[in-house]
Amino acid sequence: MASADSVTRIGLIDDDSLVRAGLAMILGADPQIEVVGEGSDGSDAVPLVQKHRPDVLLMDVRMPTMDGLTATQAVTALPGAPKIIMLTTFDLDEYVFQALEAGASGFLLKDTPPQDLIRAVRVVAGGDAMLSPGVTRRMLSHFSHANPGARPERHPGLELLTERETEVLGAVGAGLSNAQIGARLYMSEATVKAHVSKIFAKLDCTNRVQIAIIAHEAGLSDIDEHPV
């Protein structure tokens, strides 16, 4: 995880050289961000990570030889893997849903405004969630509709959670941000982050969407009470 006063190292994987150039220009304009490596296909992802050790990897979804989903699975299996942000043209791309399940930290549309791109990179590098509550709820809705009537087994890690952690998990499942969870449960945002980190470890998850899905499937979230 990059500290607040350190330079965040970025890797770019996209088969469109113009997109890579644009991203590099936008990100490189921030003195706290350094683009350390680029690749034109998902097959370049693992070598790039091993050579340059980026904090965050921006990964295209659709590429000709190895797609972003396969590359994400390979990268997240590496020790000390970077955070991964998927890049897509479509905000409901099926590959994006699968990539989030595989361990990506979120996704951005390729036409995201420069200031939002930089903010997203900083948030993810800091170890927080990048997905907005509305996007999280859409993700949960997608998985529910994709598996109608399914009754998955209760995640065994849920038994390891404290009562407070279970409350936080339910709030994450409802699509609330850390600030909203803090206001709802009367705790500081820093305390919420600490609880979320413990939940990640106990449930063996790497991103907020994964734990939200677990909460939703276990009936711990009250997602319908918080419309987008």
Side-chain angles (χ1 to χ4, degrees):
M1 182 188 303
S3 63
D5 58 352
S6 65
V7 173
T8 300
R9 297 166 60 82
I10 303 296
L12 303 175
I13 303 289
D14 196 299
D15 62 326
D16 188 326
S17 59
L18 289 178
V19 170
R20 291 200 312 275
L23 291 171
M25 180 178 66
I26 292 169
L27 295 171
D30 188 304
Q32 295 302 112
I33 295 176
E34 178 185 4
V35 177
V36 296
E38 299 182 20
S40 59
D41 189 77
S43 59
D44 297 326
V46 168
L48 186 154
V49 169
Q50 292 175 328
K51 180 178 181 180
H52 298 289
R53 297 297 176 185
D55 300 304
V56 179
L57 190 63
L58 272 63
M59 179 97 71
D60 190 14
V61 172
R62 303 187 183 196
M63 292 177 282
T65 303
M66 179 184 288
D67 62 53
L69 172 60
T70 303
T72 293
Q73 292 172 327
V75 169
T76 54
L78 296 173
K83 302 292 185 181
I84 298 178
I85 299 175
M86 305 303 297
L87 298 170
T88 180
T89 306
F90 307 101
D91 65 349
L92 292 178
D93 195 313
E94 289 293 319
Y95 280 106
V96 174
F97 294 121
Q98 296 175 55
L100 289 168
E101 283 193 300
S105 296
F107 72 93
L108 287 172
L109 297 179
K110 289 188 177 181
D111 60 357
T112 296
Q115 66 272 21
D116 291 342
L117 172 65
I118 291 173
R119 181 175 58 84
V121 166
R122 287 174 174 167
V123 167
V124 168
D128 206 348
M130 192 201 70
L131 291 175
S132 69
V135 170
T136 299
R137 287 192 285 271
R138 286 169 60 196
M139 293 291 176
L140 294 176
S141 176
H142 166 82
F143 288 117
S144 296
H145 292 150
N147 300 282
R151 294 183 178 274
E153 294 184 7
R154 184 179 174 88
H155 193 289
L158 292 172
E159 306 303 323
L160 302 176
L161 302 182
T162 65
E163 182 178 351
R164 200 57 161 165
E165 288 165 356
T166 300
E167 289 179 327
V168 172
L169 174 65
V172 172
L176 301 184
S177 67
N178 286 344
Q180 291 170 321
I181 294 172
R184 181 178 183 181
L185 299 180
Y186 305 103
M187 63 178 73
S188 70
E189 189 170 348
T191 300
V192 174
K193 288 184 178 181
H195 282 308
V196 171
S197 294
K198 291 177 181 178
I199 293 169
F200 280 152
K202 291 181 179 181
L203 300 184
D204 192 25
C205 293
T206 57
N207 66 59
R208 207 176 184 90
V209 173
Q210 291 173 330
I211 63 174
I213 292 169
I214 291 172
H216 187 56
E217 291 178 338
L220 296 174
S221 63
D222 52 356
I223 189 170
D224 293 333
E225 296 181 14
H226 301 278
V228 177

